[in-house]
Structure formats: structure tokens, C-alpha cells
Amino acid sequence: MNVTALDWGIIAAFFIISLGIGLFTAKSAGSSAKEFFLSGRNMPWWLLGVSMVATTFSADTPNLVTDIVRKNGVAGNWAWWAFLLTGMLTVFVYAKLWRRSEATTDLEFYEMRYSGRGAAFLRGFRALYLGVFFNVVIMATVSLAAIKIGGVMLGLSPIQTLLIASIVTVVYSSLGGLKGVLLTDFFQFFIAIAGSFGAAYYILDLPQIGSLSNLLAHDVVSTKLNFLPDFSDPNMYIPLFLMPIAIQWWATWYPGAEPGGGGYIAQRMLSAKDEKNAIGATLFFNIAHYALRPWPWILIALSSLVIFPNISDLQAAFPNIPVDKLGDDLAYSAMLTYLPTGLIGIVLASLIAAVMSTLSTHLNWGSSYVVNDFYLRFVKPEATDKQLVAVGRISTVGLMVLSAILALALSSALDAFNILLQIGAGTGLIFILRWFWWRINAYTEISAMAISFVVAIFFEVINPKVGWIMIPENQAYLKLLYSVSITTVGWLLVTFLTQPEKDEILLSFYRKVTPAAYGWKKVLDRYPAEKQEQGQLPKEIGLMVTGTVMVYAALFSTGFFIYGNLLPGFIAAGIAILGGVIIISAWKKLN
């Protein structure tokens, strides 16, 4: 692939602007820890929403989608499309609760909702477990995507790619704090959108493809176009659709799609001006994430089946790629090598933007845990803002180094995705219920975390065909089902066998966030003078369902139009518009 001076100029301009934003925001970011990690709690919905989208516009996401489509067709995307349900639940139920909590991080929640050593342990342990271990794994998958892009498109070695991506990202993340990340995300979002749509448009016109209609009529591609899997084959519809839509979305914990909100999504909600801006940001994110972005990636993935039908074709075309990095996810980068001068510069900048926006968010989010929930809470409670910002900047560098080392050992984004789902299996229901059910305590969460981790190690590290349980290769979804069941039964037993939190802790939390009183009545009835917040939970659940239908309808409407099925396309578009009208009308009436 010939990268010209024009392309390098576009890439250089992108780097200069990104670094400039970090330098521009460095002074204000360094003024206090809250400014560094929450931008002064004064951010508008549109900036936060775009930042959420840019963060999930990760370079490993199109690789993951390509991997899925090549293996399981378009219907395989339900593995992540199903998370729209928890996203909409966060929009209409949890966004306002997070904003009311006024926490600095979502881990601070633990010592609001629980008490004693259990709460302190949860906060400190998860600060390192999520902020370091989990966070490093996520960043490593992003870095792995960067390695594949750099190797295929620029001929760079893995170490060269990581050095370039890491240094620039660490500089503007450590200097500008969250505000620098948000502003850079806003700029990078539009570069990423332009790159993905431009690439899909050009690739469809390649001589090997011919046109969109030729692509859809191709023998290999035509079998992979259905939105839903074959319901006559349980080995297809159970793992590809039934498990994600029935269990995975509420039962598993995955960064960016946490049941009840959490992680960097919670960080954005906590930095919003007010509750309405928190709700607006998460609503925009879910619409753009699921309805706007997937189709360019899907079209490029389908096109790759024509030009590189097998992994051996990829190996023959790119002999310099290490064998352990070869996989179906490499096909996305391989297709981009066909782009012309100028467009290749924009696309490379968009891919760099995708890498940097995700890494920068995870660096700031992870360091916020290390600083606020570990260092300040347990190591040096008297630390000054200057010291906290310094520790934040040091931890930012450390997280990047660890993730780069792990990236060199990974081979597939899909493998990492499945491992992370397995580790969080069975914990998601706790994150949904803990706001609304008084009986959940610190030991509920500790036990769920421990059980899910042990079960994940058993299924992912120990051969599942050896021991007390047999899982056929084509029924690997049973691992998730077993994990969810074992973990859920375990934490429920622990909940009822341990003492609930003290009434004063429960009442303090209830007064602070004022959730609907349905699951709090047993406590509140003991205090007749305590106001019981009726809330609007049934209406909010109804809006969650409406929003979910709206976004799916918009997603499939686009797909129908691409496939040339105009009548279903117009029907789906009408459903999406009706859903939008209902949400806009109800928005004005929400308290």
C-alpha cells in the first residue's frame, strides 16, 4: 500500500491537533482532582454523548464486527446488539440516580450504599481489579487492533505501532484530564465517522466487488445477510440470539455496557451539568452506537469475504504479519489497503482516532479509580489536589505500559471479548437491583465477584471437556449459562445468610438518590415519618422498551434499504420515528 506525503500530512495534522487540545486544557485540568477526573461537573449532554460514542468507536470494534460477520454473518452481531437493552435501562432509570449521587467515581458508590470493612474492601479491591486488571485487558484489545492496523497498512512492527500510539495518547490524556479527553473525543469522532463511511463507499466500488448489488448477490455473502439466525438450528439461534437477548444483557458486566451504568459511562454521567444532561448524553450515545455506526463495518466485513475468503488468503497477502496475529478480524485492516491516496490518510487518521479516543478514556477512567478509590482512600487521605493530579498522571503512564505488554500476547479481539463476558457473568443483576432492593449488601457483591471469577477461570483456563462437566465445542454458550446460574445462586444465598446493611446507611443512601420505593418499603415502613418516593419506574421501564424498539427499528431500516427491501425499510423507519415522537413527548413530563 502506497502512503503518500498527502496521507502523512493528514495524519500529522491529526496528531498536532490532538496534542494541542491536551496542552490547551492542561492548566485547568491540573487545578484539582475533580477538574482532572470530572471536568468540574459542568459538561453538556452533547459533548458527553459524543465522547461516549467516540470511546466505543474503538479500533478493535470494527475488527470485532468483522470477525463476527465472517464467522456468523450479520446475525452474529446480536452478541453486542443485545446490550442496547441495558443501555436504554441506564438512560431512563439509572442516569439520573448516578448524577444525584454526586460521587467522584462509580466506586465511591460502595461506601454510600454499604458500610464497614466490606464496603471499604469492595471499593479498594475493585479500584485495582477494574482500574488496573480489567482496564488493562480492554486497552490491550484496542492496542492489539492498532498492532494489526499498523502491520497491515503501514508495515510497522508491533512495538513500533505501540510506541507511536501510546506516546501521543499518554501525553494529551495525562496533561488535559477528562476535559482534554472530551474535547479530543469530539474532534476524533467526526474523523472516525468520515473514515468509516468513506472507506465503505469506496470499497463497494472496487473492481473485485463491482457494486453493492454485486456484493449482496455473491454466493458466500448472500448466506450471511440475515438479521436473525436460522431458527431451525438450535446451534445457531441459541448462542447467536437467544442467549444475548434473554440473558447476556442483564447478567454480564462489560465495560461500556454495564447493567445499571458504570465505568466510563458513569464517569460521563457524573460530570454532567445536571440530571437531564446525564440522561441526554446516554440517550445520544445509545442511538449513535447501535443505529448509526454498524453498517459501514458490516459492509466492509462482507466485502472481505469476496477478496479474502479464507485466513490463508490473508496470510498470503500479508506474509509479514506474525502467525499468532492472523485471524478473521485482520480482514478489516486488509480491506483498507485498497483505498486511494487522500482517503487512506483520512482513514488512517480515523483509525488512529479510534485507538486514541478509547485509550485516553480508559486511561483517565482507570487512573481515577487508582487515585480516588485507592490512593486517596487508603494510602494518603490527606493528599493535596496537586499530589492527586500527579499520581493520576503517573498511573496513566503505568496503565498504558501494562496494556501494551499484554497486547503483544493477545491474538484475537473476539477471544478477549468472550473472556471478559465470562468473568462478569452473573454479576449484572446485582448492579440493576442494588439501587432498588434494600436487602443487597456488601457481601452480595464480594461473593458474586469471587464466584464469577473462579467459574470463569474454570471454563476458560481449565479444559471444559475434562472434569465434572462436558461442554461440546458447538455449544460453548453453555459456559455462559452455567456461569450465570452458579454465580446468581451463590450471591443470593450469601445475601440471605448475611446481615443487611444498617438502617442509617440505607436511609442515608435512599435520601441521597431517591429511587422508587418499591424495594425499600420494608425499611421505610419502620420509619413512618420517612417520605416514600413513588417515582415513575413503570413509565421509565416503558420508555426503555420504546427506546430499544426505536433504535433497533432504525438499525434494521438502514439494513433493509441497503439490501434493497424498500417496504420493510419504510415500515421500520416509521416505527423508529414513532418511537422518537413518544420519547420526545414523554421527556417533557419526566421529573
Side-chain angles (χ1 to χ4, degrees), residues 45 47-57 182 185 264-269 277-278 281-286 289 293 361:
W45 68 270
L47 183 58
L48 295 172
V50 167
S51 176
M52 293 179 193
V53 183
T55 296
T56 53
F57 211 133
L182 294 176
D185 280 351
Y264 61 79
I265 301 296
Q267 185 189 36
R268 301 307 192 265
M269 293 186 286
N277 277 275
T282 47
L283 179 60
F284 175 85
F285 160 63
N286 281 280
H289 181 52
R293 297 186 309 181
T361 285

Side-chain angles (χ1 to χ4, degrees), residues 330-342:
L330 188 71
Y332 186 82
S333 303
M335 292 302 298
L336 299 182
T337 62
Y338 288 89
L339 300 180
T341 297

Side-chain angles (χ1 to χ4, degrees), residues 575-590:
I575 294 171
I577 292 170
L578 178 61
V581 170
I582 293 172
I583 288 175
I584 291 171
S585 175
W587 186 282
K588 300 174 183 177
K589 301 175 184 177
L590 282 174

Side-chain angles (χ1 to χ4, degrees), residues 272-350:
K273 287 181 182 179
D274 50 38
E275 293 173 26
K276 282 198 171 183
N277 277 275
I279 295 170
T282 47
L283 179 60
F284 175 85
F285 160 63
N286 281 280
I287 292 171
H289 181 52
Y290 294 99
L292 175 64
R293 297 186 309 181
W295 282 107
W297 300 335
I298 291 171
L299 289 173
I300 293 174
L302 293 171
S303 299
S304 74
L305 289 167
V306 177
I307 299 178
F308 303 106
N310 302 302
I311 293 178
S312 58
D313 299 304
L314 290 168
Q315 186 174 24
F318 305 100
N320 294 329
I321 298 296
V323 175
D324 66 326
K325 304 301 183 204
L326 283 169
D328 283 303
D329 58 342
L330 188 71
Y332 186 82
S333 303
M335 292 302 298
L336 299 182
T337 62
Y338 288 89
L339 300 180
T341 297
L343 181 56
I344 193 63
I346 294 173
V347 169
L348 279 170
S350 76

Side-chain angles (χ1 to χ4, degrees), residues 342-500:
L343 181 56
I344 193 63
I346 294 173
V347 169
L348 279 170
S350 76
L351 293 172
I352 295 168
V355 171
M356 291 169 58
S357 64
T358 305
L359 290 179
S360 63
T361 285
H362 280 271
L363 289 171
N364 186 270
W365 166 45
S367 64
S368 74
Y369 284 179
V370 173
V371 171
N372 188 69
D373 300 296
F374 186 77
Y375 182 79
L376 179 63
R377 174 64 180 83
F378 298 102
V379 178
K380 196 172 184 180
E382 73 281 3
T384 64
D385 276 321
K386 186 176 181 180
Q387 290 172 326
L388 294 177
V389 171
V391 174
R393 287 170 170 163
I394 293 169
S395 60
T396 296
V397 176
L399 290 171
M400 189 68 251
V401 171
L402 290 174
S403 66
I405 293 171
L406 180 59
L408 295 173
L410 288 177
S411 60
S412 168
L414 185 57
D415 291 343
F417 177 80
N418 289 331
I419 291 171
L420 290 177
L421 285 184
Q422 197 72 34
I423 290 176
T427 62
L429 191 58
I430 297 174
F431 304 129
I432 292 174
L433 293 179
R434 63 188 184 180
W435 299 83
F436 296 100
W437 187 27
W438 71 279
R439 193 61 181 81
I440 286 178
N441 59 38
Y443 297 102
T444 305
E445 297 215 27
I446 292 171
S447 62
M449 184 171 58
I451 295 169
S452 68
F453 184 79
V454 170
V455 172
I457 293 298
F458 176 81
F459 284 129
E460 295 297 333
V461 178
I462 301 173
N463 189 336
K465 295 184 179 180
V466 176
W468 57 274
I469 192 168
M470 302 287 286
I471 300 179
E473 188 66 29
N474 64 346
Q475 294 181 4
Y477 63 86
L478 288 174
K479 289 192 291 187
L480 181 63
L481 184 60
Y482 289 142
S483 298
V484 170
S485 301
I486 294 168
T487 302
T488 301
V489 169
W491 67 253
L492 280 171
L493 285 173
V494 170
T495 300
F496 288 111
L497 291 174
T498 54
Q499 291 295 316

